[in-house]
Amino acid sequence: MSPGPTSPTGSAAPGGTGAPAVTLDDVRDAARRLSGAAHRTPVLRSRTLDARTGTQTFLKCENFQRAGAFKFRGAYHALSHLTPEELAHGVVAYSSGNHAQAVALAARELGTRAVIVMPADTPRSKRDATAGYGAEIVTYDRYTEDRAAISGRIARERGLTLIPPYDHPHVIAGQGTTALELLEETGPLDALLVPVGGGGLMAGAATAATALTPGIRMIGVEPAAVETPGELTFAINRRLVDSVVLVTDDEIRAAMVFAFERLKIVVEPSGASALAALLAGHLDHPPARTGVIISGGNIGPDRFRELLG
Amino acid sequence: MSPGPTSPTGSAAPGGTGAPAVTLDDVRDAARRLSGAAHRTPVLRSRTLDARTGTQTFLKCENFQRAGAFKFRGAYHALSHLTPEELAHGVVAYSSGNHAQAVALAARELGTRAVIVMPADTPRSKRDATAGYGAEIVTYDRYTEDRAAISGRIARERGLTLIPPYDHPHVIAGQGTTALELLEETGPLDALLVPVGGGGLMAGAATAATALTPGIRMIGVEPAAVETPGELTFAINRRLVDSVVLVTDDEIRAAMVFAFERLKIVVEPSGASALAALLAGHLDHPPARTGVIISGGNIGPDRFRELLG
């Protein structure tokens, strides 16, 4: 049993000068482990989108992923590396959002138990979805309590393995399978737009994409609410990401409406950020062929309505 | 030039006792003509849906079709059979909805012009979408005027070919490519649920599915607002359809919400009817493997919001 974070086996320390912490081979290994567990999500095309943006666009739709977001890839992959003894004890994660559901579902699939540490004011629907996958929910007051401390204490007391949301090589390699699948389907792309968040998706996608298509422009997109990057993800992204584009809330809303009206898909705000950057014209010189990761679709009709006013 | 409806070449008269008006070979021919013009739409799976309904479900998502609905298949296929002389003159169709956009887009793709006869009170968005594909819009008062008569007069006066919305063998064969693609991807299915409407999709899908998978249960689903079936579609459907299930407005709304929340797709009310029948438990004995056609997704965020209250 290993309470606390699983160690990044076989990886250089964050920011170190050794071998990369995550390689294309790690992503390929993750793809093998995810086969049959995660969906191979569709790549959508839209002539309207191509005409409007001046680039052939390929949308990798992780809103169709299990539990509604790319997070399931990283969570399941991380859990798939646990020892039988670790699986017998269970896992713990802190998240109010997609990582919570992803870990809960991955734990159920792998026959182990998950404790999810969530703010007490998490929307009912997200709490129910997480509990619906069989996880135990522990709540905390986000104004007075420290979720990392609470999770660490639970991990120690119960002998659980902490599954971090992004700053872990197995999580990063799992998220990288999005870009691997995309490029397998489309062939070489000139640019790939990826929502940044904590950087796990970006780091994994950049690892796979730059190895498969040297010269590809990796463009990160930051939604309005910016997460703190991880040490490991920051180290990878500093090396592999060409530029980071910022999008406003209005641009994200416009992208969500475009996705609804023209693409017929439901995309959550952070999941729409890369599409928003493209639609809002934030690419200086749109290349011939551009990939865009739609990272998640976990938004209910009521919240969607509120958000679009 | 042939003003008025193009004649159903090589087909038995509606309701006649000769060879079927539309055969699997006609559907295969339509698939060849549609290749590269229509999208091969994705087939979505959902473990949540399987668990809830007790049948492995395969959703053929025509909401991702060009112009937002299966109608593009039939319209494009019908236009692809016109002579160069007919194409030089153009086409006319009457519809306030998906057939209007389908004919407008198909006409643009094939380098001809379309006149679309629409009620004067057609929602702005549908009118704009149709005009956006380059069609000329002619409006009429639906309380005092007869759209068929107006369209016939325009066809005669301008030498245009009328493209009927469903009651035509080329339209039916085009719609049948949905089931052809679905079964090519899934292999044999035990049942196929199809929204009925005017019967073109049902007739085409039943023609293809019963030929490819003898013994498949063809189940039609009627949404609340029932269209008048065509003569030709009625003749085919009477022969090939096992049963017709009725769904209420509430059941359709529930299916639209399920599609939004769990499948992350946008489905218009009539497009959700077959899914509604399955979710509402209208299949007496759910078989092992069931196909469902999601027929369209043309609904804006505002109308979606209104409808769900």
Side-chain angles (χ1 to χ4, degrees):
Chain A
M1 121 188 59
S2 70
T6 53
S7 58
T9 45
S11 302
T17 53
V22 184
T23 67
L24 177 59
D25 280 345
D26 296 327
V27 178
R28 289 197 196 280
D29 179 57
R32 276 186 292 272
R33 287 165 179 266
L34 287 172
S35 174
H39 288 316
R40 190 181 176 97
T41 53
V43 176
L44 292 188
R45 307 288 319 275
S46 157
R47 301 190 197 208
T48 309
L49 181 60
D50 292 357
R52 189 185 294 195
T53 59
T55 175
Q56 254 194 301
T57 307
F58 300 85
L59 302 164
K60 178 65 171 170
C61 290
E62 286 296 298
N63 52 333
F64 294 135
Q65 189 49 264
R66 296 187 72 190
F70 73 95
K71 291 276 188 183
F72 179 70
R73 294 175 185 264
Y76 185 94
H77 182 233
L79 264 71
S80 79
H81 280 273
L82 298 188
T83 65
E85 201 182 3
E86 286 167 336
L87 285 174
H89 281 81
V91 298
V92 59
Y94 50 85
S95 163
S96 60
N98 291 336
H99 182 59
Q101 295 179 47
V103 170
L105 177 58
R108 192 186 71 183
E109 294 286 304
L110 287 163
T112 186
R113 284 148 31 93
V115 176
I116 307 293
V117 179
M118 290 185 141
D121 58 356
T122 299
R124 187 88 228 160
S125 61
K126 299 206 167 195
R127 222 172 127 160
D128 288 351
T130 307
Y133 292 128
E136 176 189 341
I137 312 282
V138 172
T139 59
Y140 69 98
D141 178 339
R142 62 164 142 177
Y143 302 104
T144 62
E145 296 182 281
D146 176 4
R147 63 185 189 172
I150 294 171
S151 308
R153 197 188 62 231
I154 292 173
R156 278 189 308 277
E157 287 173 3
R158 305 207 206 168
L160 307 180
T161 304
L162 182 72
I163 306 296
Y166 43 81
D167 213 26
H168 188 281
H170 293 155
V171 173
I172 293 169
Q175 321 303 30
T177 58
T178 53
L180 181 67
E181 288 177 7
L182 174 63
L183 287 161
E184 277 174 2
E185 190 159 335
T186 62
L189 296 174
D190 301 303
L192 181 56
L193 277 81
V194 183
V196 174
L201 177 62
M202 183 85 237
T207 298
T210 58
L212 288 166
T213 309
I216 190 171
R217 275 164 67 193
M218 290 301 306
I219 302 168
V221 182
E222 284 286 9
V226 174
E227 288 184 61
T228 314
E231 278 185 62
L232 185 55
T233 58
F234 182 77
I236 295 173
N237 290 331
R238 192 177 47 184
R239 187 164 49 84
L240 300 179
V241 175
D242 294 286
S243 55
V244 172
V245 162
L246 297 176
V247 285
T248 65
D249 287 355
D250 279 350
E251 288 166 349
I252 285 180
R253 272 192 288 268
M256 291 171 72
V257 168
F258 182 90
F260 187 107
E261 283 184 332
R262 307 303 306 236
L263 308 174
K264 321 296 181 189
I265 61 174
V266 177
V267 185
E268 65 190 75
S270 61
S273 63
L275 177 62
L278 185 64
L279 280 169
H282 289 310
L283 254 66
D284 285 339
H285 303 285
R289 291 159 57 82
T290 302
V292 171
I293 299 184
I294 302 287
S295 58
N298 284 329
I299 181 167
D302 292 341
R303 177 80 187 113
F304 186 83
R305 179 182 348 206
E306 265 174 42
L307 207 65
L308 302 189
Chain B
M1 121 189 57
S2 71
T6 54
S7 57
T9 44
S11 303
T17 53
V22 184
T23 67
L24 176 59
D25 280 346
D26 295 327
V27 178
R28 288 198 196 281
D29 179 58
R32 277 187 292 273
R33 288 165 179 266
L34 287 172
S35 174
H39 289 316
R40 190 180 176 98
T41 53
V43 176
L44 292 189
R45 304 289 318 276
S46 157
R47 300 191 199 209
T48 308
L49 181 59
D50 292 357
R52 189 186 292 196
T53 60
T55 175
Q56 254 195 302
T57 307
F58 301 85
L59 302 164
K60 178 65 171 170
C61 289
E62 286 297 298
N63 52 332
F64 294 136
Q65 188 49 264
R66 296 188 69 189
F70 73 95
K71 291 277 188 182
F72 179 70
R73 295 174 185 264
Y76 185 94
H77 182 233
L79 265 71
S80 79
H81 279 275
L82 298 188
T83 65
E85 199 181 5
E86 286 168 335
L87 285 174
H89 281 80
V91 298
V92 57
Y94 50 86
S95 164
S96 58
N98 291 336
H99 183 57
Q101 295 179 46
V103 170
L105 176 58
R108 192 186 73 183
E109 294 287 302
L110 287 163
T112 185
R113 286 148 28 93
V115 176
I116 307 293
V117 179
M118 289 185 142
D121 58 356
T122 299
R124 187 87 229 160
S125 61
K126 299 206 166 194
R127 220 171 128 160
D128 288 351
T130 306
Y133 291 128
E136 176 190 341
I137 312 282
V138 172
T139 59
Y140 70 98
D141 179 339
R142 63 163 141 175
Y143 301 105
T144 61
E145 296 183 283
D146 175 3
R147 64 187 189 171
I150 294 171
S151 307
R153 197 186 63 231
I154 292 172
R156 279 190 306 277
E157 286 174 4
R158 304 206 207 168
L160 307 180
T161 304
L162 182 72
I163 307 295
Y166 44 81
D167 213 25
H168 187 282
H170 293 155
V171 172
I172 293 169
Q175 321 304 30
T177 59
T178 53
L180 181 66
E181 287 177 8
L182 173 62
L183 288 162
E184 277 174 3
E185 190 159 335
T186 62
L189 296 173
D190 301 303
L192 181 55
L193 277 81
V194 184
V196 174
L201 177 62
M202 184 84 237
T207 297
T210 57
L212 288 166
T213 309
I216 190 171
R217 273 164 68 192
M218 291 301 307
I219 301 167
V221 182
E222 285 286 7
V226 173
E227 288 183 61
T228 314
E231 278 186 63
L232 185 55
T233 57
F234 181 77
I236 295 173
N237 290 331
R238 191 177 46 183
R239 189 162 48 84
L240 300 179
V241 175
D242 294 286
S243 56
V244 171
V245 162
L246 298 176
V247 284
T248 66
D249 287 356
D250 279 349
E251 287 166 349
I252 285 179
R253 273 193 289 267
M256 291 170 72
V257 168
F258 183 90
F260 186 107
E261 283 184 333
R262 308 302 306 236
L263 309 174
K264 321 297 180 189
I265 61 175
V266 177
V267 184
E268 65 189 76
S270 61
S273 63
L275 177 62
L278 185 63
L279 280 169
H282 290 310
L283 253 67
D284 285 339
H285 303 286
R289 292 159 56 82
T290 303
V292 171
I293 299 184
I294 302 286
S295 60
N298 285 328
I299 182 167
D302 293 340
R303 176 80 187 111
F304 186 83
R305 179 181 347 205
E306 266 174 42
L307 207 65
L308 301 190

